[in-house]
Amino acid sequence: MLGRMQNSRCRVRNVVAVKPTGLLLVLLFFCVFTPAGRAGWFDAGWSYRRQLDVEWPADKASSDELAMADFYAAGHVQPKGEDVRVTTDEGKVVPSSVMTAGPGDRVRVVFALVRPVKRYFVYFGNTQPTGKVEEPKFGWGLLLDMRKFPGGDVRNFQQIEAAWAKATEPIGRILWDRLNIGFDPFGEPRPCIIKYSGSLFTPVDGEYTFAVSAHNRGGLYVDDKPIAFAEGNVGDIRFAGKMDLKRGRHDVAFLHVHTDGDPRMHVAWKRPDQPKFEPIGAEFFGAVPRVAVGSLEEHNKTLTADFRLEYLGECFYVNHYSHRYRLSGQLAKPFAGAKYDWDFGDGQTGTGPVMEHVYLADGDYVVKLTVRLGGNVDVQSTTIHVSRLYERIDNPPNDPVGVQSKIVQTYDVTKIPANSLGWATLL
């Protein structure tokens, strides 16, 4: 779990006597490859950070924009992410909210963008953080907030509002880009209640008609007024409502209850300037920009072990999934002489800057990466959660059996966990 640093964090640094050539190499690294030109640390109480580069038209911004970043904290974040801070490149803290802290060491944070800034930093690693973080205004994109359904009858606006008020057990939060869904982005489907909230841009003045559909029930609100309530996942416009709206942004929300199967809902609109119903495009809610997450940096340290994790493919056989990942070692400043040693947390090890690895079973694995440069050594341990890529479950990357079997053939059979040995044999 996040915050249990004694279990998920391991750092070893040794500077040993080296021959003159080795010493020159180390000095060259410290003098030339120390992150130069990067922003100064905003507060020494925060030990770690990652650079965030946002792709957005910063010079034409409306000041309402939000961005979302996913990163791994290598065991250095507090359990609920209460030590996470996002700043501009000049060290000014911006409004932010931790959407998810876990599973594993994964953290998702949403933060407000400041015109005309494109570079930000996310800081963490403070056991006693001070100062309250301002919550961003969710008027850009759609905040999808999923909670465990508390039960009860839901057949109208009043009952679905009461169910949301009783729902206190969180499942997950994420910025969404559309008022429709056909799967659970946080895992296998389960009874839940979801609230979508944000703002909707209406391009012209006039009467708008909204049609809704939801399995099992769902209700649409515009400017806090109930518009239409869906009593099933139908393929027509029987559940619809109208509203006169001026050109501009309007608060929008949708409450959705589903108790079996995949959560499915959809909202379409007929604008005053169009003859028929159409899906509402992401641009009318505010497209969330892409964020490039940089390497892990530690305060006053030059060498910090880090890697980028990519899900490459799932492989289905005998009613079971195994998963292929790419793990790429990275430093805040790359250096050709760095050596990378891996412990994948499942009994297998490897050497090299880039590795492909197959995890034979779902679960949490502690990946320990050791980076050596001359006599300088750093070790970081990161807990990753291995499972299907649920946020892309409608179009997952698939692997043929042969792709994963070639990797598994190289494994040390004596070190494969007992619960995975059967799957390894089948592959």
Side-chain angles (χ1 to χ4, degrees), residues 220-266:
L220 174 69
Y221 302 77
V222 177
D223 288 337
D224 295 324
K225 298 178 181 178
I227 302 298
F229 192 86
E231 299 180 26
N233 189 39
V234 297
D236 52 46
I237 58 170
R238 75 183 76 169
F239 304 123
K242 299 179 179 181
M243 188 175 187
D244 287 326
L245 296 170
K246 296 290 186 180
R247 171 185 166 86
R249 288 205 164 272
H250 301 268
D251 290 338
V252 64
F254 192 91
L255 287 176
H256 176 206
V257 166
H258 102 93
T259 58
D260 60 272
D262 291 314
R264 301 189 301 276
M265 59 78 67
H266 189 82

mmCIF file of all heavy atoms in Angstrom, residues 220-266:
data_model
loop_
_atom_site.group_PDB
_atom_site.id
_atom_site.type_symbol
_atom_site.label_atom_id
_atom_site.label_comp_id
_atom_site.label_asym_id
_atom_site.label_seq_id
_atom_site.Cartn_x
_atom_site.Cartn_y
_atom_site.Cartn_z
ATOM 1 N N LEU A 220 -30.475 13.307 -15.979
ATOM 2 C CA LEU A 220 -29.659 14.419 -16.468
ATOM 3 C C LEU A 220 -30.118 15.731 -15.851
ATOM 4 O O LEU A 220 -31.330 15.999 -15.768
ATOM 5 C CB LEU A 220 -29.751 14.508 -17.989
ATOM 6 C CG LEU A 220 -29.057 15.712 -18.648
ATOM 7 C CD1 LEU A 220 -27.534 15.584 -18.537
ATOM 8 C CD2 LEU A 220 -29.484 15.836 -20.117
ATOM 9 N N TYR A 221 -29.132 16.559 -15.442
ATOM 10 C CA TYR A 221 -29.389 17.892 -14.898
ATOM 11 C C TYR A 221 -28.588 18.917 -15.704
ATOM 12 O O TYR A 221 -27.419 18.692 -16.028
ATOM 13 C CB TYR A 221 -28.950 17.987 -13.445
ATOM 14 C CG TYR A 221 -29.600 17.005 -12.490
ATOM 15 C CD1 TYR A 221 -29.182 15.669 -12.452
ATOM 16 C CD2 TYR A 221 -30.612 17.406 -11.625
ATOM 17 C CE1 TYR A 221 -29.768 14.763 -11.579
ATOM 18 C CE2 TYR A 221 -31.201 16.506 -10.736
ATOM 19 C CZ TYR A 221 -30.770 15.189 -10.728
ATOM 20 O OH TYR A 221 -31.351 14.291 -9.851
ATOM 21 N N VAL A 222 -29.214 20.042 -15.998
ATOM 22 C CA VAL A 222 -28.522 21.167 -16.622
ATOM 23 C C VAL A 222 -28.831 22.407 -15.791
ATOM 24 O O VAL A 222 -30.009 22.697 -15.527
ATOM 25 C CB VAL A 222 -28.950 21.367 -18.089
ATOM 26 C CG1 VAL A 222 -28.248 22.597 -18.672
ATOM 27 C CG2 VAL A 222 -28.641 20.133 -18.918
ATOM 28 N N ASP A 223 -27.786 23.100 -15.379
ATOM 29 C CA ASP A 223 -27.943 24.255 -14.483
ATOM 30 C C ASP A 223 -28.777 23.886 -13.256
ATOM 31 O O ASP A 223 -29.669 24.645 -12.818
ATOM 32 C CB ASP A 223 -28.568 25.439 -15.222
ATOM 33 C CG ASP A 223 -27.594 26.081 -16.205
ATOM 34 O OD1 ASP A 223 -26.371 25.921 -16.014
ATOM 35 O OD2 ASP A 223 -28.054 26.721 -17.167
ATOM 36 N N ASP A 224 -28.503 22.692 -12.727
ATOM 37 C CA ASP A 224 -29.152 22.164 -11.513
ATOM 38 C C ASP A 224 -30.635 21.843 -11.690
ATOM 39 O O ASP A 224 -31.328 21.556 -10.706
ATOM 40 C CB ASP A 224 -28.984 23.136 -10.333
ATOM 41 C CG ASP A 224 -27.535 23.290 -9.923
ATOM 42 O OD1 ASP A 224 -26.799 22.288 -9.988
ATOM 43 O OD2 ASP A 224 -27.134 24.405 -9.546
ATOM 44 N N LYS A 225 -31.141 21.870 -12.910
ATOM 45 C CA LYS A 225 -32.541 21.552 -13.160
ATOM 46 C C LYS A 225 -32.661 20.156 -13.767
ATOM 47 O O LYS A 225 -31.945 19.836 -14.724
ATOM 48 C CB LYS A 225 -33.166 22.584 -14.106
ATOM 49 C CG LYS A 225 -33.163 24.005 -13.556
ATOM 50 C CD LYS A 225 -33.743 24.985 -14.562
ATOM 51 C CE LYS A 225 -33.720 26.409 -14.009
ATOM 52 N NZ LYS A 225 -34.239 27.389 -15.002
ATOM 53 N N PRO A 226 -33.539 19.287 -13.235
ATOM 54 C CA PRO A 226 -33.734 17.961 -13.822
ATOM 55 C C PRO A 226 -34.346 18.071 -15.213
ATOM 56 O O PRO A 226 -35.353 18.769 -15.404
ATOM 57 C CB PRO A 226 -34.684 17.272 -12.839
ATOM 58 C CG PRO A 226 -35.349 18.372 -12.085
ATOM 59 C CD PRO A 226 -34.382 19.506 -12.033
ATOM 60 N N ILE A 227 -33.725 17.376 -16.182
ATOM 61 C CA ILE A 227 -34.152 17.489 -17.577
ATOM 62 C C ILE A 227 -34.843 16.222 -18.074
ATOM 63 O O ILE A 227 -35.933 16.267 -18.631
ATOM 64 C CB ILE A 227 -32.949 17.803 -18.492
ATOM 65 C CG1 ILE A 227 -32.277 19.103 -18.041
ATOM 66 C CG2 ILE A 227 -33.391 17.894 -19.953
ATOM 67 C CD1 ILE A 227 -33.155 20.318 -18.110
ATOM 68 N N ALA A 228 -34.195 15.066 -17.879
ATOM 69 C CA ALA A 228 -34.758 13.817 -18.386
ATOM 70 C C ALA A 228 -34.261 12.662 -17.530
ATOM 71 O O ALA A 228 -33.094 12.653 -17.107
ATOM 72 C CB ALA A 228 -34.386 13.609 -19.854
ATOM 73 N N PHE A 229 -35.138 11.680 -17.305
ATOM 74 C CA PHE A 229 -34.809 10.516 -16.480
ATOM 75 C C PHE A 229 -34.994 9.248 -17.309
ATOM 76 O O PHE A 229 -36.050 9.045 -17.916
ATOM 77 C CB PHE A 229 -35.696 10.464 -15.235
ATOM 78 C CG PHE A 229 -35.238 9.467 -14.209
ATOM 79 C CD1 PHE A 229 -34.284 9.812 -13.256
ATOM 80 C CD2 PHE A 229 -35.745 8.171 -14.199
ATOM 81 C CE1 PHE A 229 -33.854 8.898 -12.319
ATOM 82 C CE2 PHE A 229 -35.325 7.249 -13.265
ATOM 83 C CZ PHE A 229 -34.371 7.604 -12.318
ATOM 84 N N ALA A 230 -33.961 8.408 -17.347
ATOM 85 C CA ALA A 230 -33.990 7.178 -18.128
ATOM 86 C C ALA A 230 -34.335 5.989 -17.246
ATOM 87 O O ALA A 230 -33.778 5.842 -16.157
ATOM 88 C CB ALA A 230 -32.639 6.947 -18.799
ATOM 89 N N GLU A 231 -35.248 5.161 -17.736
ATOM 90 C CA GLU A 231 -35.657 3.964 -17.020
ATOM 91 C C GLU A 231 -35.212 2.704 -17.753
ATOM 92 O O GLU A 231 -35.892 1.683 -17.727
ATOM 93 C CB GLU A 231 -37.170 3.967 -16.819
ATOM 94 C CG GLU A 231 -37.665 5.151 -16.005
ATOM 95 C CD GLU A 231 -39.169 5.125 -15.837
ATOM 96 O OE1 GLU A 231 -39.762 4.027 -15.890
ATOM 97 O OE2 GLU A 231 -39.749 6.212 -15.647
ATOM 98 N N GLY A 232 -34.097 2.778 -18.426
ATOM 99 C CA GLY A 232 -33.562 1.616 -19.130
ATOM 100 C C GLY A 232 -32.613 2.055 -20.223
ATOM 101 O O GLY A 232 -32.551 3.225 -20.603
ATOM 102 N N ASN A 233 -31.868 1.074 -20.734
ATOM 103 C CA ASN A 233 -30.890 1.337 -21.780
ATOM 104 C C ASN A 233 -31.556 1.121 -23.137
ATOM 105 O O ASN A 233 -31.377 0.101 -23.795
ATOM 106 C CB ASN A 233 -29.680 0.409 -21.611
ATOM 107 C CG ASN A 233 -28.552 0.807 -22.541
ATOM 108 O OD1 ASN A 233 -28.294 1.982 -22.749
ATOM 109 N ND2 ASN A 233 -27.885 -0.181 -23.120
ATOM 110 N N VAL A 234 -32.357 2.088 -23.558
ATOM 111 C CA VAL A 234 -33.129 1.959 -24.793
ATOM 112 C C VAL A 234 -32.362 2.569 -25.964
ATOM 113 O O VAL A 234 -31.446 3.374 -25.781
ATOM 114 C CB VAL A 234 -34.505 2.635 -24.644
ATOM 115 C CG1 VAL A 234 -35.309 1.934 -23.571
ATOM 116 C CG2 VAL A 234 -34.347 4.119 -24.295
ATOM 117 N N GLY A 235 -32.768 2.188 -27.142
ATOM 118 C CA GLY A 235 -32.096 2.692 -28.336
ATOM 119 C C GLY A 235 -32.895 3.734 -29.068
ATOM 120 O O GLY A 235 -32.841 3.825 -30.304
ATOM 121 N N ASP A 236 -33.662 4.522 -28.340
ATOM 122 C CA ASP A 236 -34.469 5.562 -28.975
ATOM 123 C C ASP A 236 -34.468 6.809 -28.089
ATOM 124 O O ASP A 236 -33.679 6.911 -27.159
ATOM 125 C CB ASP A 236 -35.899 5.066 -29.221
ATOM 126 C CG ASP A 236 -36.529 4.485 -27.955
ATOM 127 O OD1 ASP A 236 -36.404 5.122 -26.887
ATOM 128 O OD2 ASP A 236 -37.145 3.409 -28.024
ATOM 129 N N ILE A 237 -35.362 7.752 -28.363
ATOM 130 C CA ILE A 237 -35.349 9.046 -27.666
ATOM 131 C C ILE A 237 -36.601 9.228 -26.812
ATOM 132 O O ILE A 237 -37.036 10.364 -26.579
ATOM 133 C CB ILE A 237 -35.208 10.213 -28.659
ATOM 134 C CG1 ILE A 237 -36.354 10.200 -29.683
ATOM 135 C CG2 ILE A 237 -33.866 10.137 -29.379
ATOM 136 C CD1 ILE A 237 -36.419 11.449 -30.546
ATOM 137 N N ARG A 238 -37.160 8.117 -26.302
ATOM 138 C CA ARG A 238 -38.400 8.235 -25.513
ATOM 139 C C ARG A 238 -38.185 8.989 -24.207
ATOM 140 O O ARG A 238 -39.099 9.629 -23.700
ATOM 141 C CB ARG A 238 -38.976 6.854 -25.239
ATOM 142 C CG ARG A 238 -38.255 6.045 -24.179
ATOM 143 C CD ARG A 238 -38.834 4.664 -24.008
ATOM 144 N NE ARG A 238 -38.418 3.797 -25.104
ATOM 145 C CZ ARG A 238 -38.615 2.475 -25.101
ATOM 146 N NH1 ARG A 238 -39.241 1.913 -24.093
ATOM 147 N NH2 ARG A 238 -38.207 1.755 -26.106
ATOM 148 N N PHE A 239 -36.962 8.893 -23.634
ATOM 149 C CA PHE A 239 -36.670 9.618 -22.392
ATOM 150 C C PHE A 239 -35.932 10.903 -22.771
ATOM 151 O O PHE A 239 -34.717 10.891 -22.996
ATOM 152 C CB PHE A 239 -35.818 8.762 -21.454
ATOM 153 C CG PHE A 239 -36.441 7.425 -21.128
ATOM 154 C CD1 PHE A 239 -35.757 6.249 -21.404
ATOM 155 C CD2 PHE A 239 -37.701 7.343 -20.562
ATOM 156 C CE1 PHE A 239 -36.322 5.017 -21.114
ATOM 157 C CE2 PHE A 239 -38.274 6.116 -20.266
ATOM 158 C CZ PHE A 239 -37.582 4.949 -20.549
ATOM 159 N N ALA A 240 -36.655 11.988 -22.861
ATOM 160 C CA ALA A 240 -36.069 13.242 -23.356
ATOM 161 C C ALA A 240 -36.696 14.436 -22.650
ATOM 162 O O ALA A 240 -37.793 14.349 -22.079
ATOM 163 C CB ALA A 240 -36.251 13.355 -24.870
ATOM 164 N N GLY A 241 -35.985 15.558 -22.682
ATOM 165 C CA GLY A 241 -36.468 16.794 -22.109
ATOM 166 C C GLY A 241 -35.891 17.985 -22.848
ATOM 167 O O GLY A 241 -34.851 17.876 -23.503
ATOM 168 N N LYS A 242 -36.565 19.137 -22.746
ATOM 169 C CA LYS A 242 -36.145 20.330 -23.468
ATOM 170 C C LYS A 242 -35.809 21.459 -22.512
ATOM 171 O O LYS A 242 -36.332 21.519 -21.396
ATOM 172 C CB LYS A 242 -37.251 20.772 -24.429
ATOM 173 C CG LYS A 242 -37.603 19.745 -25.490
ATOM 174 C CD LYS A 242 -38.722 20.248 -26.396
ATOM 175 C CE LYS A 242 -39.061 19.220 -27.473
ATOM 176 N NZ LYS A 242 -40.133 19.691 -28.384
ATOM 177 N N MET A 243 -34.943 22.373 -22.991
ATOM 178 C CA MET A 243 -34.562 23.516 -22.173
ATOM 179 C C MET A 243 -34.045 24.629 -23.072
ATOM 180 O O MET A 243 -33.277 24.380 -24.018
ATOM 181 C CB MET A 243 -33.477 23.109 -21.168
ATOM 182 C CG MET A 243 -33.151 24.177 -20.139
ATOM 183 S SD MET A 243 -31.972 23.545 -18.907
ATOM 184 C CE MET A 243 -31.946 24.922 -17.757
ATOM 185 N N ASP A 244 -34.462 25.878 -22.796
ATOM 186 C CA ASP A 244 -33.927 27.035 -23.516
ATOM 187 C C ASP A 244 -32.612 27.437 -22.867
ATOM 188 O O ASP A 244 -32.543 27.647 -21.643
ATOM 189 C CB ASP A 244 -34.912 28.200 -23.468
ATOM 190 C CG ASP A 244 -36.110 27.978 -24.368
ATOM 191 O OD1 ASP A 244 -35.946 27.360 -25.436
ATOM 192 O OD2 ASP A 244 -37.223 28.407 -23.988
ATOM 193 N N LEU A 245 -31.577 27.568 -23.695
ATOM 194 C CA LEU A 245 -30.243 27.888 -23.186
ATOM 195 C C LEU A 245 -29.604 28.976 -24.031
ATOM 196 O O LEU A 245 -29.781 29.022 -25.255
ATOM 197 C CB LEU A 245 -29.342 26.640 -23.195
ATOM 198 C CG LEU A 245 -29.775 25.480 -22.285
ATOM 199 C CD1 LEU A 245 -28.956 24.236 -22.581
ATOM 200 C CD2 LEU A 245 -29.635 25.875 -20.816
ATOM 201 N N LYS A 246 -28.857 29.846 -23.372
ATOM 202 C CA LYS A 246 -28.069 30.856 -24.055
ATOM 203 C C LYS A 246 -26.711 30.273 -24.451
ATOM 204 O O LYS A 246 -26.240 29.294 -23.870
ATOM 205 C CB LYS A 246 -27.857 32.071 -23.144
ATOM 206 C CG LYS A 246 -29.128 32.814 -22.771
ATOM 207 C CD LYS A 246 -29.708 33.542 -23.970
ATOM 208 C CE LYS A 246 -30.892 34.412 -23.563
ATOM 209 N NZ LYS A 246 -31.469 35.123 -24.737
ATOM 210 N N ARG A 247 -26.105 30.891 -25.448
ATOM 211 C CA ARG A 247 -24.754 30.482 -25.835
ATOM 212 C C ARG A 247 -23.819 30.683 -24.648
ATOM 213 O O ARG A 247 -23.846 31.724 -23.984
ATOM 214 C CB ARG A 247 -24.266 31.298 -27.023
ATOM 215 C CG ARG A 247 -22.786 31.100 -27.369
ATOM 216 C CD ARG A 247 -22.362 32.038 -28.483
ATOM 217 N NE ARG A 247 -20.919 32.106 -28.603
ATOM 218 C CZ ARG A 247 -20.169 31.263 -29.313
ATOM 219 N NH1 ARG A 247 -20.749 30.282 -29.981
ATOM 220 N NH2 ARG A 247 -18.849 31.392 -29.352
ATOM 221 N N GLY A 248 -22.986 29.672 -24.361
ATOM 222 C CA GLY A 248 -22.050 29.777 -23.258
ATOM 223 C C GLY A 248 -21.964 28.482 -22.483
ATOM 224 O O GLY A 248 -22.478 27.443 -22.910
ATOM 225 N N ARG A 249 -21.341 28.540 -21.307
ATOM 226 C CA ARG A 249 -21.142 27.341 -20.491
ATOM 227 C C ARG A 249 -22.246 27.220 -19.448
ATOM 228 O O ARG A 249 -22.663 28.206 -18.842
ATOM 229 C CB ARG A 249 -19.774 27.376 -19.807
ATOM 230 C CG ARG A 249 -18.625 27.143 -20.776
ATOM 231 C CD ARG A 249 -17.383 26.579 -20.075
ATOM 232 N NE ARG A 249 -16.460 26.021 -21.050
ATOM 233 C CZ ARG A 249 -16.488 24.773 -21.495
ATOM 234 N NH1 ARG A 249 -17.406 23.938 -21.015
ATOM 235 N NH2 ARG A 249 -15.625 24.336 -22.370
ATOM 236 N N HIS A 250 -22.684 25.962 -19.256
ATOM 237 C CA HIS A 250 -23.737 25.656 -18.299
ATOM 238 C C HIS A 250 -23.332 24.434 -17.485
ATOM 239 O O HIS A 250 -22.741 23.480 -18.017
ATOM 240 C CB HIS A 250 -25.061 25.379 -19.024
ATOM 241 C CG HIS A 250 -25.543 26.506 -19.870
ATOM 242 N ND1 HIS A 250 -26.396 27.481 -19.395
ATOM 243 C CD2 HIS A 250 -25.273 26.840 -21.165
ATOM 244 C CE1 HIS A 250 -26.646 28.349 -20.355
ATOM 245 N NE2 HIS A 250 -25.979 27.982 -21.445
ATOM 246 N N ASP A 251 -23.653 24.464 -16.189
ATOM 247 C CA ASP A 251 -23.371 23.302 -15.341
ATOM 248 C C ASP A 251 -24.184 22.100 -15.825
ATOM 249 O O ASP A 251 -25.360 22.228 -16.171
ATOM 250 C CB ASP A 251 -23.738 23.600 -13.885
ATOM 251 C CG ASP A 251 -22.804 24.618 -13.244
ATOM 252 O OD1 ASP A 251 -21.674 24.772 -13.741
ATOM 253 O OD2 ASP A 251 -23.209 25.264 -12.264
ATOM 254 N N VAL A 252 -23.528 20.945 -15.851
ATOM 255 C CA VAL A 252 -24.195 19.725 -16.283
ATOM 256 C C VAL A 252 -23.833 18.608 -15.312
ATOM 257 O O VAL A 252 -22.714 18.560 -14.781
ATOM 258 C CB VAL A 252 -23.804 19.353 -17.733
ATOM 259 C CG1 VAL A 252 -22.325 19.031 -17.837
ATOM 260 C CG2 VAL A 252 -24.625 18.173 -18.241
ATOM 261 N N ALA A 253 -24.785 17.715 -15.055
ATOM 262 C CA ALA A 253 -24.531 16.566 -14.186
ATOM 263 C C ALA A 253 -25.430 15.415 -14.638
ATOM 264 O O ALA A 253 -26.511 15.627 -15.203
ATOM 265 C CB ALA A 253 -24.811 16.902 -12.720
ATOM 266 N N PHE A 254 -24.952 14.196 -14.389
ATOM 267 C CA PHE A 254 -25.744 13.005 -14.693
ATOM 268 C C PHE A 254 -25.517 12.008 -13.567
ATOM 269 O O PHE A 254 -24.373 11.680 -13.235
ATOM 270 C CB PHE A 254 -25.324 12.393 -16.032
ATOM 271 C CG PHE A 254 -26.279 11.343 -16.542
ATOM 272 C CD1 PHE A 254 -27.323 11.680 -17.373
ATOM 273 C CD2 PHE A 254 -26.137 10.007 -16.171
ATOM 274 C CE1 PHE A 254 -28.215 10.716 -17.842
ATOM 275 C CE2 PHE A 254 -27.020 9.044 -16.633
ATOM 276 C CZ PHE A 254 -28.064 9.394 -17.473
ATOM 277 N N LEU A 255 -26.602 11.537 -12.948
ATOM 278 C CA LEU A 255 -26.536 10.503 -11.925
ATOM 279 C C LEU A 255 -26.957 9.178 -12.551
ATOM 280 O O LEU A 255 -28.009 9.100 -13.220
ATOM 281 C CB LEU A 255 -27.457 10.838 -10.747
ATOM 282 C CG LEU A 255 -26.987 11.966 -9.827
ATOM 283 C CD1 LEU A 255 -28.038 12.263 -8.772
ATOM 284 C CD2 LEU A 255 -25.663 11.605 -9.163
ATOM 285 N N HIS A 256 -26.147 8.145 -12.327
ATOM 286 C CA HIS A 256 -26.337 6.866 -13.028
ATOM 287 C C HIS A 256 -26.212 5.721 -12.028
ATOM 288 O O HIS A 256 -25.191 5.591 -11.348
ATOM 289 C CB HIS A 256 -25.277 6.740 -14.126
ATOM 290 C CG HIS A 256 -25.297 5.439 -14.859
ATOM 291 N ND1 HIS A 256 -24.173 4.932 -15.477
ATOM 292 C CD2 HIS A 256 -26.281 4.538 -15.070
ATOM 293 C CE1 HIS A 256 -24.481 3.781 -16.051
ATOM 294 N NE2 HIS A 256 -25.751 3.515 -15.807
ATOM 295 N N VAL A 257 -27.253 4.898 -11.942
ATOM 296 C CA VAL A 257 -27.246 3.707 -11.091
ATOM 297 C C VAL A 257 -27.263 2.468 -11.972
ATOM 298 O O VAL A 257 -28.075 2.380 -12.903
ATOM 299 C CB VAL A 257 -28.465 3.686 -10.149
ATOM 300 C CG1 VAL A 257 -28.632 2.301 -9.521
ATOM 301 C CG2 VAL A 257 -28.311 4.724 -9.054
ATOM 302 N N HIS A 258 -26.355 1.541 -11.699
ATOM 303 C CA HIS A 258 -26.427 0.257 -12.380
ATOM 304 C C HIS A 258 -26.142 -0.831 -11.355
ATOM 305 O O HIS A 258 -25.283 -0.687 -10.488
ATOM 306 C CB HIS A 258 -25.471 0.194 -13.578
ATOM 307 C CG HIS A 258 -24.225 -0.562 -13.347
ATOM 308 N ND1 HIS A 258 -24.108 -1.892 -13.656
ATOM 309 C CD2 HIS A 258 -23.035 -0.202 -12.830
ATOM 310 C CE1 HIS A 258 -22.898 -2.315 -13.341
ATOM 311 N NE2 HIS A 258 -22.234 -1.309 -12.838
ATOM 312 N N THR A 259 -26.901 -1.925 -11.436
ATOM 313 C CA THR A 259 -26.820 -2.974 -10.424
ATOM 314 C C THR A 259 -26.386 -4.322 -10.967
ATOM 315 O O THR A 259 -26.121 -5.239 -10.193
ATOM 316 C CB THR A 259 -28.183 -3.140 -9.727
ATOM 317 O OG1 THR A 259 -29.184 -3.442 -10.712
ATOM 318 C CG2 THR A 259 -28.572 -1.865 -8.988
ATOM 319 N N ASP A 260 -26.307 -4.472 -12.303
ATOM 320 C CA ASP A 260 -25.882 -5.753 -12.871
ATOM 321 C C ASP A 260 -25.292 -5.514 -14.254
ATOM 322 O O ASP A 260 -25.661 -4.581 -14.951
ATOM 323 C CB ASP A 260 -27.069 -6.725 -12.967
ATOM 324 C CG ASP A 260 -28.185 -6.184 -13.841
ATOM 325 O OD1 ASP A 260 -29.060 -5.462 -13.305
ATOM 326 O OD2 ASP A 260 -28.185 -6.447 -15.058
ATOM 327 N N GLY A 261 -24.333 -6.373 -14.623
ATOM 328 C CA GLY A 261 -23.701 -6.235 -15.928
ATOM 329 C C GLY A 261 -22.816 -5.005 -16.010
ATOM 330 O O GLY A 261 -22.427 -4.413 -15.006
ATOM 331 N N ASP A 262 -22.499 -4.607 -17.237
ATOM 332 C CA ASP A 262 -21.669 -3.429 -17.453
ATOM 333 C C ASP A 262 -22.485 -2.154 -17.276
ATOM 334 O O ASP A 262 -23.648 -2.101 -17.687
ATOM 335 C CB ASP A 262 -21.085 -3.436 -18.863
ATOM 336 C CG ASP A 262 -20.047 -4.518 -19.066
ATOM 337 O OD1 ASP A 262 -19.175 -4.656 -18.187
ATOM 338 O OD2 ASP A 262 -20.121 -5.231 -20.090
ATOM 339 N N PRO A 263 -21.890 -1.116 -16.682
ATOM 340 C CA PRO A 263 -22.594 0.174 -16.604
ATOM 341 C C PRO A 263 -22.686 0.792 -17.997
ATOM 342 O O PRO A 263 -21.682 0.977 -18.674
ATOM 343 C CB PRO A 263 -21.706 1.002 -15.675
ATOM 344 C CG PRO A 263 -20.353 0.393 -15.796
ATOM 345 C CD PRO A 263 -20.561 -1.065 -16.061
ATOM 346 N N ARG A 264 -23.914 1.092 -18.425
ATOM 347 C CA ARG A 264 -24.106 1.655 -19.763
ATOM 348 C C ARG A 264 -25.044 2.849 -19.668
ATOM 349 O O ARG A 264 -26.107 2.775 -19.057
ATOM 350 C CB ARG A 264 -24.688 0.610 -20.724
ATOM 351 C CG ARG A 264 -23.820 -0.628 -20.890
ATOM 352 C CD ARG A 264 -24.328 -1.534 -22.013
ATOM 353 N NE ARG A 264 -25.693 -1.989 -21.802
ATOM 354 C CZ ARG A 264 -26.029 -3.040 -21.062
ATOM 355 N NH1 ARG A 264 -25.085 -3.730 -20.439
ATOM 356 N NH2 ARG A 264 -27.300 -3.398 -20.938
ATOM 357 N N MET A 265 -24.636 3.951 -20.266
ATOM 358 C CA MET A 265 -25.497 5.140 -20.336
ATOM 359 C C MET A 265 -25.084 5.968 -21.543
ATOM 360 O O MET A 265 -23.978 5.818 -22.068
ATOM 361 C CB MET A 265 -25.407 5.970 -19.054
ATOM 362 C CG MET A 265 -24.023 6.482 -18.676
ATOM 363 S SD MET A 265 -23.402 7.925 -19.591
ATOM 364 C CE MET A 265 -24.533 9.180 -19.023
ATOM 365 N N HIS A 266 -25.993 6.834 -21.992
ATOM 366 C CA HIS A 266 -25.697 7.686 -23.137
ATOM 367 C C HIS A 266 -26.605 8.915 -23.093
ATOM 368 O O HIS A 266 -27.772 8.824 -22.716
ATOM 369 C CB HIS A 266 -25.922 6.935 -24.453
ATOM 370 C CG HIS A 266 -25.425 7.677 -25.662
ATOM 371 N ND1 HIS A 266 -24.103 7.659 -26.047
ATOM 372 C CD2 HIS A 266 -26.065 8.482 -26.536
ATOM 373 C CE1 HIS A 266 -23.956 8.411 -27.141
ATOM 374 N NE2 HIS A 266 -25.127 8.922 -27.441
#
